Amino acid sequence: QQAALAQQARISAALLPYLGKLQRSSDGTHWELQLAAEARVPLPRAQRIEREINASRQEGDSPLLVVPALQGLPPIPIAPATDDAPGPDPAQQAALEAQAWALQRWRAARVDVVVAGLDDARAEAWERALRGALSAHGVALGTLERRRSEDAGLQLALPAP
């Protein structure tokens, strides 16, 4: 039993570099897992790793902060609205939250956004959801551009330096 646990610990330690780099924060308050770009962990999965590990912490354990590899943010398609919900559906809201979370982890001060679509009411509902998600993660909204387009979607991008 003890030999198996020791082997598991060695294997886990050997596998970690393929996923990323685990280190103690400089102030000692938490652990940081910097995900490697080669691991290709999607943002929602990275966010889920952080949530699930922190949810299973034992008393006295330091929290884990997962920092996803820097990557382009995929556009979030804006699906047709329903009469009672012009804004994001739960899956779209989760995608928006994951992107806002990643921006926070990357220490982005602000983000530029393009909202494309044909319906002003939907665009306004999405803007409210966007502002709420960004605010919850301490990211300021930089430029916000609305475009008339049949391909409705939301695109977040780090501002050009």
Side-chain angles (χ1 to χ4, degrees):
Q1 175 79 13
Q2 209 169 36
L5 289 175
Q7 182 182 16
Q8 181 182 16
R10 286 192 307 274
I11 292 171
S12 293
L15 287 172
L16 184 59
Y18 293 99
L19 183 60
K21 179 180 173 187
L22 181 66
Q23 62 190 16
R24 194 80 168 144
S25 64
S26 59
D27 62 6
T29 59
H30 61 275
W31 290 96
E32 290 183 8
L33 175 61
Q34 299 271 345
L35 293 174
E38 299 81 28
R40 297 180 185 254
V41 178
L43 299 178
R45 179 70 178 138
Q47 186 181 37
R48 194 167 48 252
I49 290 169
E50 181 179 285
R51 285 182 181 159
E52 289 176 3
I53 289 177
N54 285 329
S56 66
R57 283 186 315 165
Q58 296 181 6
E59 189 171 332
D61 285 354
S62 298
L64 174 70
L65 186 109
V66 174
V67 180
L70 193 57
Q71 57 194 274
L73 298 172
I76 301 171
I78 298 178
T82 62
D83 291 337
D84 55 332
D89 65 23
Q92 294 164 328
Q93 185 66 41
L96 181 56
E97 290 290 336
Q99 290 190 17
W101 168 85
L103 289 163
Q104 179 187 42
R105 293 297 179 262
W106 296 331
R107 294 181 174 98
R110 65 186 178 91
V111 64
D112 293 337
V113 180
V114 174
V115 180
L118 298 173
D119 182 343
D120 287 338
R122 284 177 60 203
E124 288 171 11
W126 271 83
E127 285 179 30
R128 282 192 301 276
L130 168 69
R131 289 178 191 278
L134 293 176
S135 176
H137 292 283
V139 179
L141 180 59
T143 62
L144 176 64
E145 180 184 344
R146 276 199 199 177
R147 290 186 188 155
R148 292 258 178 223
S149 173
E150 300 218 6
D151 294 325
L154 184 78
Q155 178 67 61
L156 283 70
L158 293 171

